Amino acid sequence: MPFYLWLHWIAREKVIALHRRHLGAGKRAVQQEVPLMPVDSSAEFVSGLIGRLPSPSQELAKAELAERLRLALGQLDDDDRDLILWRHFEQLSARDMALLLDITEASASKRYIRL
């Protein structure tokens, strides 16, 4: 396995473990926590100055689409969800995905097409 895929796998496993530990702690409701400032607060500030903010209906449509995507991904098993995320968000090749899932390249391609 190439080093970058191995490193990607290690990071993924670490994030999953931390996510489970944090959400499973039961000490507070993570979903209700709100950051003091948005992560991209400077970008929001600049976009507010130049007046290119999306309309409320565009924001609502974006939020609805994000929720539909989250629900659809939530219905998939972990390997299938990872396959889609790796392909579309991390732009991994079928070969790289096959190495991460420990399957053949042809199987990874077929599995992706089937989804």
Side-chain angles (χ1 to χ4, degrees):
M1 180 179 292
F3 175 73
Y4 72 96
L5 284 179
W6 174 80
L7 190 59
H8 181 275
W9 180 79
I10 294 291
R12 175 183 167 263
E13 293 299 314
K14 192 67 154 172
V15 167
I16 288 171
L18 289 171
H19 187 262
R20 285 181 184 147
R21 188 181 76 188
H22 187 65
L23 291 179
K27 294 181 181 177
R28 63 178 183 255
V30 176
Q31 293 81 4
Q32 294 179 357
E33 292 182 9
V34 177
L36 295 176
M37 300 230 12
V39 174
D40 57 348
S41 59
S42 59
E44 286 185 21
F45 177 73
V46 170
S47 67
L49 289 177
I50 58 177
R52 293 188 187 153
L53 294 174
S55 69
S57 62
Q58 289 172 328
E59 283 291 327
L60 182 60
K62 182 179 171 183
E64 288 174 351
L65 184 60
E67 179 64 14
R68 286 177 55 201
L69 177 61
R70 187 189 66 76
L71 290 172
L73 287 172
Q75 293 176 352
L76 298 173
D77 67 3
D78 290 342
D79 287 343
D80 290 342
R81 181 176 36 255
D82 288 342
L83 197 71
I84 289 175
L85 295 176
W86 290 335
R87 183 71 177 146
H88 290 282
F89 295 105
E90 298 184 28
Q91 299 177 348
L92 294 182
S93 67
R95 180 177 175 266
D96 293 340
M97 292 185 301
L99 286 170
L100 286 170
L101 293 173
D102 197 26
I103 59 177
T104 66
E105 186 175 343
S107 296
S109 294
K110 289 176 188 174
R111 194 177 202 171
Y112 172 73
I113 290 170
R114 192 182 52 200
L115 293 172

